Amino acid sequence: MGSATTAPGPRRAAVRPTGQQRTFGADELIVSKTDTRGIITYANDVFCRVGAYELHEVIGQPHNLIRHPDMPRAVFKLLWDTVSSGRELFAYVNNLAADGANYWVLAHVTPSFGPGGRIVGYHSNRRRPATAGVEAIQPLYRELLAEESRAGSGRAAAEAGGALLQRRLAERGVDYDEFVWSLIPDAEA
């Protein structure tokens, strides 16, 4: 298990996706905690094993260390906007391991509160998603990525993707949480 007292590890060079997909056990949870800036303060052994990292390589690093380039910026903007306002969020996320493999998760991200109700960090539990859920979310994520690439990079891309995401959700008459839950098979809920 991880520890917040482990010294920060060195930054790795940018990882290129290999196209190799990895998974993990249905009974396993990937767990991590960050401070309010998204710096990893805790990672469990499943996080390290699936992500192909040693604990000392992740503690003290930004959580976007595992961000796959095929993940829309808009989803992360929605995630950060939601949890920084004190609410939880469920999201399908495609992560990138240190060796270039990718692994899909169904993430549940929550704020951690300290004395007086102040947010002191964030906690994320990730489980293995159903294949059907991943297959259902991928067309939307591809569409968001295309919109983001037309808008450029950084904030403009996230804003363009976010606007498209809100339009697509409005067309369905749901918010993002409702959309995600609609993709989760009853057996997994």
Side-chain angles (χ1 to χ4, degrees):
M1 292 282 233
S3 168
T5 60
T6 303
R11 276 195 180 267
R12 282 192 179 205
V15 177
R16 290 189 179 166
T18 62
Q20 183 157 26
Q21 190 157 338
R22 175 172 297 137
T23 190
F24 53 100
D27 61 338
E28 293 184 297
L29 284 178
I30 295 174
V31 180
S32 60
K33 296 179 184 180
T34 71
D35 65 15
T36 56
R37 297 171 299 131
I39 303 300
I40 299 171
T41 59
Y42 173 86
N44 74 346
D45 58 336
V46 183
F47 179 106
C48 293
R49 179 176 46 80
V50 175
Y53 282 102
E54 295 293 327
L55 182 60
H56 71 274
E57 295 176 301
V58 298
I59 299 297
Q61 298 301 318
H63 205 281
N64 67 6
L65 175 77
I66 60 170
R67 183 183 184 276
H68 195 286
D70 288 344
M71 269 303 295
R73 292 176 184 268
V75 174
F76 289 114
K77 181 180 181 325
L78 174 65
L79 186 147
W80 280 106
D81 288 351
T82 302
V83 298
S84 66
S85 72
R87 296 173 291 138
E88 68 182 351
L89 185 82
F90 288 85
Y92 283 94
V93 179
N94 187 12
N95 288 321
L96 182 64
D99 60 6
N102 74 297
Y103 57 102
W104 280 91
V105 298
L106 177 57
H108 177 215
V109 186
T110 61
S112 299
F113 297 97
R118 186 176 60 89
I119 295 174
V120 296
Y122 304 100
H123 182 118
S124 180
N125 290 321
R126 277 123 20 222
R127 63 182 173 167
R128 187 178 78 194
T131 302
V134 171
E135 290 172 351
I137 200 84
Q138 286 177 315
L140 174 61
Y141 282 9
R142 282 191 294 272
E143 184 180 16
L144 295 176
L145 283 167
E147 182 72 9
E148 290 175 359
S149 70
R150 285 189 287 276
S153 62
R155 185 173 300 222
E159 294 294 333
L164 178 59
L165 175 60
Q166 292 310 314
R167 287 194 306 272
R168 293 299 179 252
L169 294 172
E171 289 167 3
R172 291 174 168 93
V174 296
D175 64 18
Y176 185 78
D177 271 346
E178 292 169 319
F179 177 62
V180 166
W181 280 106
S182 75
L183 303 178
I184 300 171
D186 290 339
E188 289 192 337

